[in-house]
Amino acid sequence: MKPAAVLSWVALALVLGCAELPRPKVLDSAAAAAGSRPLVEARQRAPQVFARAEKLRAQAEEAYEGEHLGQADALGEQALAAYQRAVVNHRVGQATERLVLAQHELAETQHRLASLSSQNEALLSEVNALELRLKVIRDALPLAPLEPANPKREAARRSASLSLLETARLLCASAQLLDPENPGPKQILKEVDSLASAVTEAKAPTPVDQAFLLRTRCLEQLTLIRRPNRQQKPATDPADVLLSQLGSALPDSAPHRDDRGVVLTFSELFNGAALAEPGTQRLGQLAAIAKANPGFPVLLVVHGARADRGQGVARAATLQKALEQAGLARAKVHVADDRLPLGVHGIKGAKLQDERVEWVFVAR
Amino acid sequence: MLALAGWVLFTSASQAEPKMAPRAAVQAYLKKVANVAPAERALVAVATERVQASLKKADRAAASDPKAAAAHEQAALEWVLTAEDLWRAVKKEGEAAELEKKLQAARVELSRTRALLEETQARKGRLEAQLKLAEAQGVGGAGETP
């Protein structure tokens, strides 16, 4: 072999002997990931996970230096996954923080909401009491004296007066049911009866203002009897609870509230003077509700036509008997005849509309 | 403070090094990922590809370089754990977003209730003034025509 050829072979052997082994790409990927922005943020929050990934990357570089290419590749891949995991764990941490913060703030907000709602309810109760007081005072303000009017207007005034007096009777009866020992309602009821006799005598001018005043006095009695209870528990009103209960149990009887309490109206309880089958069932249902709510005395009002007064009285007796049989002690039946009509007189069907029974749960 | 407590709880549970048998855990993951909803599968698609690639490398190296094969299996397991953590992250983020929505609704409700309270207070003030006036009129005997 020529010396030049020998030299060439030696040079080639030297070059090949010193050439670097091919570097697995994943090592560069892991190095790039280590310095990426998401990982810089994750590093502060999850230093342990990050440190583990760094250790794996160092081991990969070490394996590469030691010419263990397969291990270097695998360790580099493991390091890359660990870096990725550190970023994901950072996300879990952030979400957990958000969750804990939101739970804390939600609990605080709900607590404040409950407190404000309760304050508002108490305030509303005070507002209602003030409104009622204002109504009573305004109704009691002296009215200008009425002059006699033409016969048609006088007839209208008589009808209005009788309605007002009947409302006064129902309000005072409710007050009596709440406080039977109180002499106030009884006294006013005597005045109501006396004024009703005067109205039916048809002397002009009809004392409509006096009827109005008596109704106001009965409402005042009711307010005075209720006041201590309302002041004791301003934020709770059991009548609202009962109304909601009745709304679900008897939606077709249109439960509603008025000055007396919670009212239900029935038009088909009777067949003549006797209770019809659906009427008996309905009364049983109502008696059960009344027994479950002993804080509410019951006032039953029989409405009907004046011409059928006998029938109204007979129906009242039937109802009274049914109440006694049901064992409801704090209950009263009142006959209102046609003094609180619903229908317009002279219109077909008005009489049928007027014939009804009101079941009142008197609110305390 | 609460956030810090949450973070401490979270980190203590998640930072442990993988200690299960790699091959079995990886196979279980691949079986599981094949059965999850497509949206959940898409979420971990990249990690799953890396799991499968690492397993193939482990199989190839099994005869010639057992140490490298074991390391590839460990790499596959690391990707499995990353995928599981990713699911957990998305779930937590969803829960946080849901709760933040509820919080927002509660804040709106709070603001409404506060406005209502102010309105009721103003109403009470007006009523008290009207009552005072009505009482004065009552004493003075001013009349009204029906």
Side-chain angles (χ1 to χ4, degrees), chain A residues 159 163 265 267 303-306 337-356 358:
Chain A
S159 171
S163 286
T265 309
S267 53
H303 299 268
R306 180 180 288 268
D337 286 335
D338 64 344
R339 288 183 289 270
L340 290 168
L342 286 179
V344 178
H345 287 289
I347 289 181
K348 197 180 172 187
K351 185 172 171 268
L352 278 177
Q353 207 179 345
D354 288 347
E355 277 191 16
R356 66 197 190 278
E358 282 181 317

PDB file of all heavy atoms in Angstrom, chain A residues 159 163 265 267 303-306 337-356 358:
ATOM      1  N   SER A 159    -128.402  51.015  49.373  1.00  0.00           N
ATOM      2  CA  SER A 159    -127.764  49.746  49.021  1.00  0.00           C
ATOM      3  C   SER A 159    -126.286  49.750  49.447  1.00  0.00           C
ATOM      4  O   SER A 159    -125.788  48.770  50.020  1.00  0.00           O
ATOM      5  CB  SER A 159    -127.902  49.534  47.506  1.00  0.00           C
ATOM      6  OG  SER A 159    -127.150  48.461  47.117  1.00  0.00           O
ATOM      7  N   SER A 163    -124.379  47.418  52.343  1.00  0.00           N
ATOM      8  CA  SER A 163    -123.155  46.647  52.046  1.00  0.00           C
ATOM      9  C   SER A 163    -122.056  47.001  53.030  1.00  0.00           C
ATOM     10  O   SER A 163    -121.359  46.112  53.547  1.00  0.00           O
ATOM     11  CB  SER A 163    -122.669  46.953  50.626  1.00  0.00           C
ATOM     12  OG  SER A 163    -123.494  46.321  49.706  1.00  0.00           O
ATOM     13  N   THR A 265    -114.138  30.622  48.260  1.00  0.00           N
ATOM     14  CA  THR A 265    -115.544  30.798  47.886  1.00  0.00           C
ATOM     15  C   THR A 265    -116.057  29.540  47.178  1.00  0.00           C
ATOM     16  O   THR A 265    -115.379  29.015  46.296  1.00  0.00           O
ATOM     17  CB  THR A 265    -115.687  32.015  46.940  1.00  0.00           C
ATOM     18  OG1 THR A 265    -115.017  33.114  47.556  1.00  0.00           O
ATOM     19  CG2 THR A 265    -117.132  32.376  46.711  1.00  0.00           C
ATOM     20  N   SER A 267    -119.666  27.739  45.376  1.00  0.00           N
ATOM     21  CA  SER A 267    -121.008  28.043  44.888  1.00  0.00           C
ATOM     22  C   SER A 267    -121.876  26.793  44.766  1.00  0.00           C
ATOM     23  O   SER A 267    -123.068  26.899  44.502  1.00  0.00           O
ATOM     24  CB  SER A 267    -120.927  28.766  43.540  1.00  0.00           C
ATOM     25  OG  SER A 267    -120.134  28.015  42.673  1.00  0.00           O
ATOM     26  N   HIS A 303    -124.198  33.612  51.544  1.00  0.00           N
ATOM     27  CA  HIS A 303    -124.761  34.668  50.698  1.00  0.00           C
ATOM     28  C   HIS A 303    -125.891  34.076  49.867  1.00  0.00           C
ATOM     29  O   HIS A 303    -125.800  32.931  49.429  1.00  0.00           O
ATOM     30  CB  HIS A 303    -123.701  35.219  49.739  1.00  0.00           C
ATOM     31  CG  HIS A 303    -122.526  35.842  50.421  1.00  0.00           C
ATOM     32  ND1 HIS A 303    -122.458  37.181  50.720  1.00  0.00           N
ATOM     33  CD2 HIS A 303    -121.353  35.297  50.858  1.00  0.00           C
ATOM     34  CE1 HIS A 303    -121.285  37.435  51.306  1.00  0.00           C
ATOM     35  NE2 HIS A 303    -120.606  36.308  51.401  1.00  0.00           N
ATOM     36  N   GLY A 304    -126.932  34.876  49.649  1.00  0.00           N
ATOM     37  CA  GLY A 304    -128.034  34.379  48.828  1.00  0.00           C
ATOM     38  C   GLY A 304    -128.976  35.510  48.465  1.00  0.00           C
ATOM     39  O   GLY A 304    -128.666  36.686  48.652  1.00  0.00           O
ATOM     40  N   ALA A 305    -130.137  35.133  47.981  1.00  0.00           N
ATOM     41  CA  ALA A 305    -131.100  36.158  47.568  1.00  0.00           C
ATOM     42  C   ALA A 305    -131.975  36.534  48.757  1.00  0.00           C
ATOM     43  O   ALA A 305    -132.268  35.712  49.619  1.00  0.00           O
ATOM     44  CB  ALA A 305    -131.941  35.617  46.427  1.00  0.00           C
ATOM     45  N   ARG A 306    -132.395  37.818  48.781  1.00  0.00           N
ATOM     46  CA  ARG A 306    -133.236  38.292  49.889  1.00  0.00           C
ATOM     47  C   ARG A 306    -134.550  37.496  49.955  1.00  0.00           C
ATOM     48  O   ARG A 306    -135.015  37.131  51.030  1.00  0.00           O
ATOM     49  CB  ARG A 306    -133.541  39.773  49.701  1.00  0.00           C
ATOM     50  CG  ARG A 306    -134.421  40.360  50.798  1.00  0.00           C
ATOM     51  CD  ARG A 306    -134.664  41.822  50.519  1.00  0.00           C
ATOM     52  NE  ARG A 306    -133.452  42.597  50.760  1.00  0.00           N
ATOM     53  CZ  ARG A 306    -133.173  43.177  51.930  1.00  0.00           C
ATOM     54  NH1 ARG A 306    -134.020  43.076  52.919  1.00  0.00           N
ATOM     55  NH2 ARG A 306    -132.083  43.849  52.097  1.00  0.00           N
ATOM     56  N   ASP A 337    -127.293  37.204  53.413  1.00  0.00           N
ATOM     57  CA  ASP A 337    -128.346  37.387  52.394  1.00  0.00           C
ATOM     58  C   ASP A 337    -127.779  38.004  51.114  1.00  0.00           C
ATOM     59  O   ASP A 337    -126.748  37.588  50.644  1.00  0.00           O
ATOM     60  CB  ASP A 337    -129.488  38.234  52.972  1.00  0.00           C
ATOM     61  CG  ASP A 337    -130.326  37.440  53.958  1.00  0.00           C
ATOM     62  OD1 ASP A 337    -130.341  36.196  53.835  1.00  0.00           O
ATOM     63  OD2 ASP A 337    -130.910  38.029  54.868  1.00  0.00           O
ATOM     64  N   ASP A 338    -128.464  39.076  50.617  1.00  0.00           N
ATOM     65  CA  ASP A 338    -128.005  39.661  49.343  1.00  0.00           C
ATOM     66  C   ASP A 338    -127.291  40.988  49.569  1.00  0.00           C
ATOM     67  O   ASP A 338    -127.226  41.818  48.676  1.00  0.00           O
ATOM     68  CB  ASP A 338    -129.208  39.867  48.401  1.00  0.00           C
ATOM     69  CG  ASP A 338    -130.193  40.875  48.963  1.00  0.00           C
ATOM     70  OD1 ASP A 338    -130.100  41.173  50.185  1.00  0.00           O
ATOM     71  OD2 ASP A 338    -131.031  41.386  48.207  1.00  0.00           O
ATOM     72  N   ARG A 339    -126.822  41.212  50.806  1.00  0.00           N
ATOM     73  CA  ARG A 339    -126.245  42.535  51.101  1.00  0.00           C
ATOM     74  C   ARG A 339    -124.831  42.722  50.517  1.00  0.00           C
ATOM     75  O   ARG A 339    -124.344  43.835  50.453  1.00  0.00           O
ATOM     76  CB  ARG A 339    -126.240  42.755  52.615  1.00  0.00           C
ATOM     77  CG  ARG A 339    -127.648  42.986  53.161  1.00  0.00           C
ATOM     78  CD  ARG A 339    -127.650  43.280  54.631  1.00  0.00           C
ATOM     79  NE  ARG A 339    -127.331  42.103  55.431  1.00  0.00           N
ATOM     80  CZ  ARG A 339    -128.233  41.233  55.893  1.00  0.00           C
ATOM     81  NH1 ARG A 339    -129.528  41.408  55.610  1.00  0.00           N
ATOM     82  NH2 ARG A 339    -127.870  40.195  56.606  1.00  0.00           N
ATOM     83  N   LEU A 340    -124.197  41.626  50.120  1.00  0.00           N
ATOM     84  CA  LEU A 340    -122.877  41.752  49.462  1.00  0.00           C
ATOM     85  C   LEU A 340    -122.931  40.995  48.129  1.00  0.00           C
ATOM     86  O   LEU A 340    -122.311  39.936  47.966  1.00  0.00           O
ATOM     87  CB  LEU A 340    -121.767  41.185  50.355  1.00  0.00           C
ATOM     88  CG  LEU A 340    -121.465  42.006  51.612  1.00  0.00           C
ATOM     89  CD1 LEU A 340    -120.566  41.229  52.565  1.00  0.00           C
ATOM     90  CD2 LEU A 340    -120.802  43.330  51.255  1.00  0.00           C
ATOM     91  N   PRO A 341    -123.695  41.554  47.172  1.00  0.00           N
ATOM     92  CA  PRO A 341    -123.867  40.819  45.905  1.00  0.00           C
ATOM     93  C   PRO A 341    -122.605  40.864  45.032  1.00  0.00           C
ATOM     94  O   PRO A 341    -121.828  41.801  45.119  1.00  0.00           O
ATOM     95  CB  PRO A 341    -125.014  41.563  45.223  1.00  0.00           C
ATOM     96  CG  PRO A 341    -124.937  42.950  45.758  1.00  0.00           C
ATOM     97  CD  PRO A 341    -124.372  42.859  47.154  1.00  0.00           C
ATOM     98  N   LEU A 342    -122.491  39.824  44.213  1.00  0.00           N
ATOM     99  CA  LEU A 342    -121.395  39.817  43.232  1.00  0.00           C
ATOM    100  C   LEU A 342    -121.911  40.235  41.872  1.00  0.00           C
ATOM    101  O   LEU A 342    -121.258  40.948  41.133  1.00  0.00           O
ATOM    102  CB  LEU A 342    -120.787  38.407  43.101  1.00  0.00           C
ATOM    103  CG  LEU A 342    -119.904  37.918  44.239  1.00  0.00           C
ATOM    104  CD1 LEU A 342    -119.423  36.504  43.933  1.00  0.00           C
ATOM    105  CD2 LEU A 342    -118.702  38.828  44.424  1.00  0.00           C
ATOM    106  N   GLY A 343    -123.104  39.737  41.532  1.00  0.00           N
ATOM    107  CA  GLY A 343    -123.690  40.013  40.225  1.00  0.00           C
ATOM    108  C   GLY A 343    -124.413  41.349  40.218  1.00  0.00           C
ATOM    109  O   GLY A 343    -124.722  41.924  41.266  1.00  0.00           O
ATOM    110  N   VAL A 344    -124.669  41.854  39.022  1.00  0.00           N
ATOM    111  CA  VAL A 344    -125.417  43.114  38.886  1.00  0.00           C
ATOM    112  C   VAL A 344    -126.895  42.760  38.811  1.00  0.00           C
ATOM    113  O   VAL A 344    -127.299  41.904  38.013  1.00  0.00           O
ATOM    114  CB  VAL A 344    -124.970  43.868  37.611  1.00  0.00           C
ATOM    115  CG1 VAL A 344    -125.781  45.148  37.434  1.00  0.00           C
ATOM    116  CG2 VAL A 344    -123.489  44.163  37.692  1.00  0.00           C
ATOM    117  N   HIS A 345    -127.716  43.426  39.649  1.00  0.00           N
ATOM    118  CA  HIS A 345    -129.141  43.106  39.675  1.00  0.00           C
ATOM    119  C   HIS A 345    -129.792  43.371  38.328  1.00  0.00           C
ATOM    120  O   HIS A 345    -129.464  44.335  37.651  1.00  0.00           O
ATOM    121  CB  HIS A 345    -129.837  43.925  40.765  1.00  0.00           C
ATOM    122  CG  HIS A 345    -129.486  43.411  42.135  1.00  0.00           C
ATOM    123  ND1 HIS A 345    -129.948  42.225  42.624  1.00  0.00           N
ATOM    124  CD2 HIS A 345    -128.664  43.915  43.084  1.00  0.00           C
ATOM    125  CE1 HIS A 345    -129.442  42.007  43.833  1.00  0.00           C
ATOM    126  NE2 HIS A 345    -128.659  43.032  44.135  1.00  0.00           N
ATOM    127  N   GLY A 346    -130.686  42.477  37.955  1.00  0.00           N
ATOM    128  CA  GLY A 346    -131.395  42.650  36.695  1.00  0.00           C
ATOM    129  C   GLY A 346    -130.715  41.925  35.542  1.00  0.00           C
ATOM    130  O   GLY A 346    -131.262  41.832  34.458  1.00  0.00           O
ATOM    131  N   ILE A 347    -129.514  41.425  35.785  1.00  0.00           N
ATOM    132  CA  ILE A 347    -128.804  40.716  34.708  1.00  0.00           C
ATOM    133  C   ILE A 347    -128.991  39.213  34.918  1.00  0.00           C
ATOM    134  O   ILE A 347    -128.961  38.729  36.060  1.00  0.00           O
ATOM    135  CB  ILE A 347    -127.304  41.083  34.691  1.00  0.00           C
ATOM    136  CG1 ILE A 347    -127.160  42.515  34.198  1.00  0.00           C
ATOM    137  CG2 ILE A 347    -126.494  40.124  33.834  1.00  0.00           C
ATOM    138  CD1 ILE A 347    -125.755  43.024  34.111  1.00  0.00           C
ATOM    139  N   LYS A 348    -129.206  38.499  33.807  1.00  0.00           N
ATOM    140  CA  LYS A 348    -129.467  37.056  33.879  1.00  0.00           C
ATOM    141  C   LYS A 348    -128.274  36.330  34.532  1.00  0.00           C
ATOM    142  O   LYS A 348    -127.126  36.582  34.185  1.00  0.00           O
ATOM    143  CB  LYS A 348    -129.695  36.525  32.471  1.00  0.00           C
ATOM    144  CG  LYS A 348    -130.370  35.181  32.436  1.00  0.00           C
ATOM    145  CD  LYS A 348    -130.575  34.719  31.010  1.00  0.00           C
ATOM    146  CE  LYS A 348    -131.061  33.283  31.017  1.00  0.00           C
ATOM    147  NZ  LYS A 348    -131.102  32.745  29.662  1.00  0.00           N
ATOM    148  N   GLY A 349    -128.582  35.471  35.480  1.00  0.00           N
ATOM    149  CA  GLY A 349    -127.510  34.691  36.127  1.00  0.00           C
ATOM    150  C   GLY A 349    -126.958  35.352  37.368  1.00  0.00           C
ATOM    151  O   GLY A 349    -126.156  34.763  38.084  1.00  0.00           O
ATOM    152  N   ALA A 350    -127.349  36.615  37.635  1.00  0.00           N
ATOM    153  CA  ALA A 350    -126.793  37.343  38.779  1.00  0.00           C
ATOM    154  C   ALA A 350    -127.134  36.632  40.086  1.00  0.00           C
ATOM    155  O   ALA A 350    -126.307  36.540  40.986  1.00  0.00           O
ATOM    156  CB  ALA A 350    -127.318  38.761  38.795  1.00  0.00           C
ATOM    157  N   LYS A 351    -128.358  36.112  40.160  1.00  0.00           N
ATOM    158  CA  LYS A 351    -128.813  35.466  41.392  1.00  0.00           C
ATOM    159  C   LYS A 351    -127.950  34.223  41.683  1.00  0.00           C
ATOM    160  O   LYS A 351    -127.532  33.995  42.806  1.00  0.00           O
ATOM    161  CB  LYS A 351    -130.285  35.072  41.243  1.00  0.00           C
ATOM    162  CG  LYS A 351    -130.885  34.499  42.497  1.00  0.00           C
ATOM    163  CD  LYS A 351    -132.385  34.319  42.341  1.00  0.00           C
ATOM    164  CE  LYS A 351    -132.931  33.527  43.526  1.00  0.00           C
ATOM    165  NZ  LYS A 351    -132.984  32.102  43.287  1.00  0.00           N
ATOM    166  N   LEU A 352    -127.681  33.472  40.603  1.00  0.00           N
ATOM    167  CA  LEU A 352    -126.860  32.267  40.759  1.00  0.00           C
ATOM    168  C   LEU A 352    -125.450  32.618  41.235  1.00  0.00           C
ATOM    169  O   LEU A 352    -124.861  31.933  42.050  1.00  0.00           O
ATOM    170  CB  LEU A 352    -126.772  31.524  39.421  1.00  0.00           C
ATOM    171  CG  LEU A 352    -127.941  30.622  39.086  1.00  0.00           C
ATOM    172  CD1 LEU A 352    -127.731  30.017  37.707  1.00  0.00           C
ATOM    173  CD2 LEU A 352    -128.043  29.491  40.129  1.00  0.00           C
ATOM    174  N   GLN A 353    -124.937  33.736  40.699  1.00  0.00           N
ATOM    175  CA  GLN A 353    -123.587  34.164  41.058  1.00  0.00           C
ATOM    176  C   GLN A 353    -123.536  34.589  42.527  1.00  0.00           C
ATOM    177  O   GLN A 353    -122.556  34.374  43.216  1.00  0.00           O
ATOM    178  CB  GLN A 353    -123.203  35.339  40.164  1.00  0.00           C
ATOM    179  CG  GLN A 353    -121.724  35.466  39.937  1.00  0.00           C
ATOM    180  CD  GLN A 353    -121.416  36.639  39.026  1.00  0.00           C
ATOM    181  OE1 GLN A 353    -122.284  37.188  38.362  1.00  0.00           O
ATOM    182  NE2 GLN A 353    -120.167  37.024  39.014  1.00  0.00           N
ATOM    183  N   ASP A 354    -124.645  35.211  42.982  1.00  0.00           N
ATOM    184  CA  ASP A 354    -124.687  35.710  44.363  1.00  0.00           C
ATOM    185  C   ASP A 354    -124.758  34.572  45.383  1.00  0.00           C
ATOM    186  O   ASP A 354    -124.285  34.709  46.503  1.00  0.00           O
ATOM    187  CB  ASP A 354    -125.910  36.618  44.562  1.00  0.00           C
ATOM    188  CG  ASP A 354    -125.723  37.940  43.841  1.00  0.00           C
ATOM    189  OD1 ASP A 354    -124.576  38.218  43.427  1.00  0.00           O
ATOM    190  OD2 ASP A 354    -126.709  38.675  43.685  1.00  0.00           O
ATOM    191  N   GLU A 355    -125.386  33.477  44.981  1.00  0.00           N
ATOM    192  CA  GLU A 355    -125.544  32.357  45.921  1.00  0.00           C
ATOM    193  C   GLU A 355    -124.220  31.655  46.106  1.00  0.00           C
ATOM    194  O   GLU A 355    -123.739  30.946  45.217  1.00  0.00           O
ATOM    195  CB  GLU A 355    -126.587  31.369  45.368  1.00  0.00           C
ATOM    196  CG  GLU A 355    -127.985  31.796  45.670  1.00  0.00           C
ATOM    197  CD  GLU A 355    -129.003  30.706  45.357  1.00  0.00           C
ATOM    198  OE1 GLU A 355    -128.590  29.538  45.194  1.00  0.00           O
ATOM    199  OE2 GLU A 355    -130.177  31.027  45.272  1.00  0.00           O
ATOM    200  N   ARG A 356    -123.629  31.864  47.276  1.00  0.00           N
ATOM    201  CA  ARG A 356    -122.308  31.279  47.511  1.00  0.00           C
ATOM    202  C   ARG A 356    -122.056  31.182  49.010  1.00  0.00           C
ATOM    203  O   ARG A 356    -122.763  31.809  49.803  1.00  0.00           O
ATOM    204  CB  ARG A 356    -121.218  32.143  46.857  1.00  0.00           C
ATOM    205  CG  ARG A 356    -121.080  33.514  47.473  1.00  0.00           C
ATOM    206  CD  ARG A 356    -120.308  34.470  46.572  1.00  0.00           C
ATOM    207  NE  ARG A 356    -119.981  35.701  47.287  1.00  0.00           N
ATOM    208  CZ  ARG A 356    -120.800  36.724  47.453  1.00  0.00           C
ATOM    209  NH1 ARG A 356    -122.035  36.669  46.975  1.00  0.00           N
ATOM    210  NH2 ARG A 356    -120.420  37.787  48.117  1.00  0.00           N
ATOM    211  N   GLU A 358    -118.791  31.619  51.717  1.00  0.00           N
ATOM    212  CA  GLU A 358    -117.390  31.982  51.898  1.00  0.00           C
ATOM    213  C   GLU A 358    -116.875  31.279  53.154  1.00  0.00           C
ATOM    214  O   GLU A 358    -117.517  31.341  54.208  1.00  0.00           O
ATOM    215  CB  GLU A 358    -117.237  33.483  52.107  1.00  0.00           C
ATOM    216  CG  GLU A 358    -117.325  34.305  50.849  1.00  0.00           C
ATOM    217  CD  GLU A 358    -117.137  35.776  51.161  1.00  0.00           C
ATOM    218  OE1 GLU A 358    -117.710  36.264  52.167  1.00  0.00           O
ATOM    219  OE2 GLU A 358    -116.420  36.445  50.408  1.00  0.00           O
TER     220      GLU A 358
END
